[in-house]
């Protein structure tokens, strides 16, 4: 399994979306301009919202809850400090100090 948290999250989000919404997806991540919005973020719920014709916040919350419940199984419990959902449907990830130090070490 990859040790890159973003790649692990990407794979897990794709799996959750397939299981919960019967859709194939490849979530993209970006670094928000404002650090208050996390270390990385995805707008996958906004994209799915259009396809599913459902509001994006419940989609984002479903994905967030599944991810949060699976962090230990994914080996990310020590690396992800918080996952937030913010309107209109962004999922924001805040990495722990440990994850940030590990990232710097690999650079």
């Amino acid at each position: 399994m990859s040790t890159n948290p973003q790649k692990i999250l990407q794979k897990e989000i794709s799996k959750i979306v397939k299981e919960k919404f019967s859709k194939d997806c490849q979530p993209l991540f970006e670094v928000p301009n404002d650090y208050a919005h996390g270390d990385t973020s995805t707008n996958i719920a906004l994209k799915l919202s259009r396809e599913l014709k459902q509001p994006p916040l419940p989609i984002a919350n479903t994905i967030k809850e599944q991810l949060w419940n699976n962090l230990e199984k994914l080996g990310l419990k020590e690396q992800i400090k918080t996952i937030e959902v913010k309107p209109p449907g962004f999922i924001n990830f805040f990495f722990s100090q440990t994850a940030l130090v590990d990232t710097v070490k690999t650079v």
Side-chain angles (χ1 to χ4, degrees):
M1 181 182 277
S2 172
T3 57
N4 179 328
Q6 195 165 294
K7 288 190 183 302
I8 296 169
L9 290 170
Q10 190 175 42
K11 185 176 179 181
E12 186 67 11
I13 290 171
S14 294
K15 181 179 161 192
I16 291 167
V17 168
K18 183 75 169 174
E19 289 173 1
K20 298 290 183 181
F21 303 105
S22 301
K23 292 283 180 186
D24 290 318
C25 74
Q26 186 68 24
L28 300 176
F29 290 87
E30 62 183 41
V31 176
N33 292 330
D34 184 345
Y35 292 115
H37 297 151
D39 296 305
T40 192
S41 180
T42 184
N43 67 349
I44 190 65
L46 296 167
K47 291 182 178 190
L48 286 170
S49 172
R50 290 188 287 274
E51 289 182 44
L52 298 170
K53 297 184 180 11
Q54 296 178 17
L57 282 176
I59 295 169
N61 278 312
T62 297
I63 294 169
K64 175 205 167 198
E65 292 303 318
Q66 285 292 128
L67 281 172
W68 191 253
N69 291 336
N70 292 340
L71 283 182
E72 190 164 356
K73 178 185 83 165
L74 296 169
L76 296 178
K77 191 165 181 75
E78 299 298 319
Q79 296 186 355
I80 304 292
K81 182 169 69 174
T82 307
I83 304 171
E84 291 182 342
V85 170
K86 292 290 183 180
F90 291 99
I91 305 171
N92 302 328
F93 299 89
F94 295 83
F95 294 117
S96 69
Q97 193 68 28
T98 302
L100 296 174
V101 168
D102 289 346
T103 300
V104 171
K105 285 181 182 176
T106 61
V107 174

